[in-house]
Amino acid sequence: MSESETKYAELHLDGKVIRLPILEGTEQEKGIDISALRKETGYITVDPGFFNTGACYSKVTFIDGEKGILRYRGIPVEELAEKATFVQTAYLLLHDRLPNEKQLKAFSSLLNLNSMLHEDMRHFFDGFPRGAHPMHILSTMINALCTFYPNVDMLSLKEDINLSATRLISTVRTVAAFAYKKSIGEPIVYPRYDLPYCANFLNMMFDSPVKPYEVNKDVVRALDLLLILHADHEQNCSTTTVRTVGSAQVDLYASISAGVSALSGPLHGGANQAVIDMLRKIMRSEGNIQKFVERAKDKNNPFRLMGFGHRIYKTFDPRATIIKKTCHDLLEKLKINDPLLDLAMELEDIATHDDYFIERNLYPNVDFYSGIIYRAIGIPENMFTVMFALGRLPGWIAHWQEMISQNTKISRPRQIYTGKTLRHYEKI
Ligand code: CMC
């Protein structure tokens, strides 16, 4: 936009009028550029939790939370869920275009070539205590990758992001499966060159010397779909973490490791595990859903309905709608009758008809039904958030890459100091 076309908002402050440029994105999202505010006025803006703060310009993902729209690089997530694979979606996020046949072959082959974990890293798993949460193991192992690939600095990544991104997407899958095998005391299963991404992961998870794993195409498709739906979600807490950490020119692995830690929280990716825990508790209370709904509404009770509510969506989360349908389809195909699915649907029905949830626009989010699919696939509950991380990797990398290419300034918010004013040291 040329200088003459720029529109301005006016701020009247201390007898002065400050003109602040109005910005508009390609989907008509509007913002006010306050970058010169402090310099011109001495004031800062305060927005804890970043309800109103845009921290960057991004071309990766578009969300309209009022209409329930989610698009990666312009393509609706519904189309990708129906027609694409996770590997194609990852390529799309990283390269801003869907791969053609040749590009997909090359990308898949790179994923395959980089699927091995450095042998010395296998011993790391022995050092974790029994019962260590796989998300903690995952973030530690990703950070440790920096020590094995020390040449991955900002400069080489700019030139060769393809290799580093692919290595990360492929290796993390291996780390996740190894962490699981370690936790159940079974020998690890190495990646296989002849299996595509999701089937390869499932094989590493479930193959054993005494019971070979048989790849089930419905299970593979369901996993593919879940990973696609988790692949990006613009400036969520973990992605913002990746961008913030990376803004200090921290390398890709360490930045992603920080993102994994952010994701593990129960208000973020950790919610998928917490949902199943909550449903089980409801079951144990003889299915008294209303009691739990009342607890969630009680301001004196910290309990929340897990898998409900979202900072951005003020209507149904489009991912939840697809996952709910897939959940039904998969359970039917696998002939599984999971009482937790019936309970979840009943809970959704009660909550979405309750004034408290209606007034606050609280609907099921991506985490509400995903755990039921993971259970059907045989993924243990403490691995649910690891699955979220596997899916989110291409998004994190795309944002890190974008952040680097924009020559981003270091993230460094300000504060309003509310502590003691000047006082002096007193001798004891
Ligand atoms: N159960 C009960 N009340 C809720 C819930 C819930 N799940 N979520 C929000 N509220 C209430 C909240 O108490 C507040 O009420 P009031 O206005 O009376 O104070 C109002 O709704 C707005 O909530 P908020 O905490 O200001 O909203 P937020 O945007 O800061 O939080 C959230 C978003 C996802 C953290 C929150 O909805 C929540 O804690 N949900 C449960 C955890 C969960 O499912 N997380 C997964 C999110 S989706 C996956 C991802 O991308 O991370």
Side-chain angles (χ1 to χ4, degrees):
M1 195 184 281
S2 72
E3 181 67 20
S4 60
E5 286 171 334
T6 308
K7 291 184 185 152
Y8 292 87
E10 284 186 353
L11 176 67
H12 295 249
L13 196 64
D14 296 340
K16 277 204 298 191
V17 180
I18 293 98
R19 279 162 42 95
L20 302 166
I22 290 180
L23 310 166
E24 195 169 309
T26 48
E27 291 285 351
Q28 289 76 52
E29 284 177 306
K30 292 183 180 54
I32 299 172
D33 179 354
I34 56 148
S35 50
L37 186 68
R38 187 169 180 280
K39 212 165 156 195
E40 286 188 20
T41 67
Y43 286 76
I44 61 165
T45 57
V46 180
D47 184 23
F50 308 130
F51 278 77
N52 311 284
T53 300
C56 62
Y57 298 90
S58 182
K59 292 180 166 47
V60 183
T61 287
F62 171 70
I63 302 177
D64 183 330
E66 270 70 35
K67 295 188 186 139
I69 292 174
L70 169 61
R71 296 181 201 141
Y72 301 156
R73 302 287 189 184
I75 303 181
V77 75
E78 290 82 358
E79 277 179 39
L80 292 167
E82 194 192 326
K83 296 175 183 157
T85 62
F86 174 62
V87 170
Q88 284 175 312
T89 307
Y91 189 98
L92 168 73
L93 285 165
L94 297 175
H95 298 276
D96 198 14
R97 59 171 187 273
L98 283 166
N100 61 29
E101 215 169 303
K102 199 170 147 211
Q103 288 160 338
L104 183 61
K105 218 169 150 196
F107 186 55
S108 303
S109 137
L110 211 52
L111 283 171
N112 184 23
L113 286 172
N114 287 289
S115 58
M116 295 286 282
L117 191 63
H118 194 294
E119 270 300 291
D120 292 348
M121 283 188 83
R122 270 203 309 129
H123 307 298
F124 289 15
F125 289 101
D126 299 333
F128 293 107
R130 215 171 173 72
H133 197 286
M135 278 301 269
H136 297 144
I137 298 181
L138 189 67
S139 68
T140 309
M141 295 299 279
I142 294 176
N143 214 351
L145 283 171
C146 305
T147 61
F148 285 83
Y149 302 101
N151 294 331
V152 183
D153 57 21
M154 312 295 274
L155 215 73
S156 54
L157 269 172
K158 262 193 197 175
E159 286 156 13
D160 202 2
I161 182 80
N162 211 9
L163 174 64
S164 308
T166 320
R167 182 188 288 135
L168 200 46
I169 292 172
S170 202
T171 314
V172 167
R173 170 188 58 169
T174 309
V175 169
F178 281 14
Y180 170 62
K181 283 295 193 192
K182 164 78 189 149
S183 74
I184 57 168
E186 277 191 12
I188 55 162
V189 176
Y190 283 100
R192 266 173 46 183
Y193 76 93
D194 58 330
L195 289 177
Y197 191 89
C198 286
N200 212 341
F201 173 72
L202 290 165
N203 188 65
M204 282 191 274
M205 287 282 292
F206 301 124
D207 189 53
S208 97
V210 290
K211 195 165 183 279
Y213 178 69
E214 277 173 38
V215 176
N216 175 318
K217 71 174 184 6
D218 294 322
V219 169
V220 170
R221 184 61 203 139
L223 180 59
D224 227 343
L225 181 129
L226 281 177
L227 297 187
I228 291 170
L229 295 177
H230 285 88
D232 194 43
H233 214 237
E234 49 117 305
Q235 309 310 320
N236 57 85
C237 179
S238 55
T239 303
T240 300
T241 302
V242 170
R243 290 185 83 123
T244 303
V245 172
S247 77
Q249 302 208 339
V250 169
D251 72 65
L252 178 67
Y253 298 133
S255 304
I256 300 284
S257 163
V260 171
S261 298
L263 185 74
S264 68
L267 296 189
H268 194 6
N272 56 12
Q273 187 180 347
V275 169
I276 298 296
D277 194 46
M278 173 185 76
L279 292 175
R280 205 174 282 111
K281 281 189 183 129
I282 298 178
M283 191 106 101
R284 277 203 297 270
S285 76
E286 283 156 15
N288 193 343
I289 296 177
Q290 199 58 47
K291 189 174 100 189
F292 283 79
V293 170
E294 292 311 318
R295 275 177 63 198
K297 289 155 58 175
D298 180 357
K299 288 289 154 211
N300 297 316
N301 194 323
F303 174 75
R304 287 187 161 197
L305 272 197
M306 300 315 283
F308 256 78
H310 200 277
R311 172 64 62 81
I312 305 290
Y313 293 118
K314 299 303 160 207
T315 180
F316 281 90
D317 179 335
R319 303 167 299 175
T321 310
I322 302 172
I323 293 176
K324 184 177 174 184
K325 183 175 176 313
T326 307
C327 203
H328 280 289
D329 293 351
L330 183 72
L331 265 57
E332 204 179 298
K333 278 181 188 145
L334 299 182
K335 300 191 178 23
I336 292 176
N337 180 13
D338 188 344
L340 292 191
L341 175 59
D342 300 329
L343 196 63
M345 287 194 308
E346 214 181 315
L347 173 57
E348 177 190 336
D349 188 51
I350 292 177
T352 51
H353 287 91
D354 187 299
D355 283 346
Y356 173 96
F357 291 87
I358 294 170
E359 280 158 18
R360 289 168 181 74
N361 297 313
L362 301 171
Y363 296 91
N365 59 46
V366 68
D367 291 318
F368 194 64
Y369 286 105
S370 60
I372 297 172
I373 300 187
Y374 290 136
R375 269 163 64 88
I377 294 177
I379 305 232
E381 279 162 41
N382 66 357
M383 286 288 289
F384 286 4
T385 316
V386 170
M387 304 308 297
F388 193 148
L390 272 189
R392 185 54 54 88
L393 254 181
W396 285 331
I397 300 170
H399 282 277
W400 188 92
Q401 188 182 356
E402 185 176 68
M403 184 269 308
I404 295 295
S405 70
Q406 292 168 337
N407 293 321
T408 306
K409 300 252 186 226
I410 188 166
S411 280
R412 203 314 184 178
R414 286 187 176 263
Q415 63 168 14
I416 298 287
Y417 176 68
T418 56
K420 300 235 169 15
T421 52
L422 180 67
R423 54 186 180 149
H424 294 285
Y425 175 78
E426 283 169 29
K427 216 171 160 193
I428 297 169

